[in-house]
Amino acid sequence: MRIIVCVLLVCQTLIIYAWISDWRQLVTPAGLFMWVGGIAVGLAVLRAGRGLSPRWRRALKITTAGVILLAAMSLIIEWAVRSMP
């Protein structure tokens, strides 16, 4: 389980980095798959991984919450841009 959490943390950190540096990478099909998959797997691991140490659990919660926040912000930005005349 610890290896899955490490890979997931790297994946989510790369998503946050890509959103900050070059958001166009995330709107490709591969980027969207990685984004949604990272959120889904992160939530599944948090739900099923009760045996994780508190440190790993906290790190996973923070990165998953950050990726979810970025997704919500992206949807709000997209909505605002599309509603402009």
Side-chain angles (χ1 to χ4, degrees), residues 4-14 56 59-61 63:
I4 294 171
V5 172
C6 289
V7 170
L8 192 57
L9 288 173
V10 169
C11 176
Q12 289 179 344
T13 304
L14 288 174
W56 287 106
L60 188 57
K61 280 182 184 178
T63 57

Side-chain angles (χ1 to χ4, degrees), residues 30-42:
L32 289 173
F33 178 75
M34 192 167 99
W35 201 347
V36 174
I39 292 171
V41 172

Side-chain angles (χ1 to χ4, degrees), residues 7-73:
V7 170
L8 192 57
L9 288 173
V10 169
C11 176
Q12 289 179 344
T13 304
L14 288 174
I15 290 171
I16 293 169
Y17 174 76
W19 194 84
I20 292 170
S21 66
D22 187 15
W23 61 270
R24 283 180 234 113
Q25 294 175 356
L26 289 176
V27 295
T28 63
L32 289 173
F33 178 75
M34 192 167 99
W35 201 347
V36 174
I39 292 171
V41 172
L43 292 174
V45 168
L46 281 172
R47 183 160 173 90
R50 300 286 180 198
L52 286 174
S53 71
R55 189 175 93 189
W56 287 106
R57 197 165 174 75
R58 183 179 44 221
L60 188 57
K61 280 182 184 178
I62 290 170
T63 57
T64 302
V67 172
I68 291 171
L69 179 66
L70 290 179
M73 288 173 45

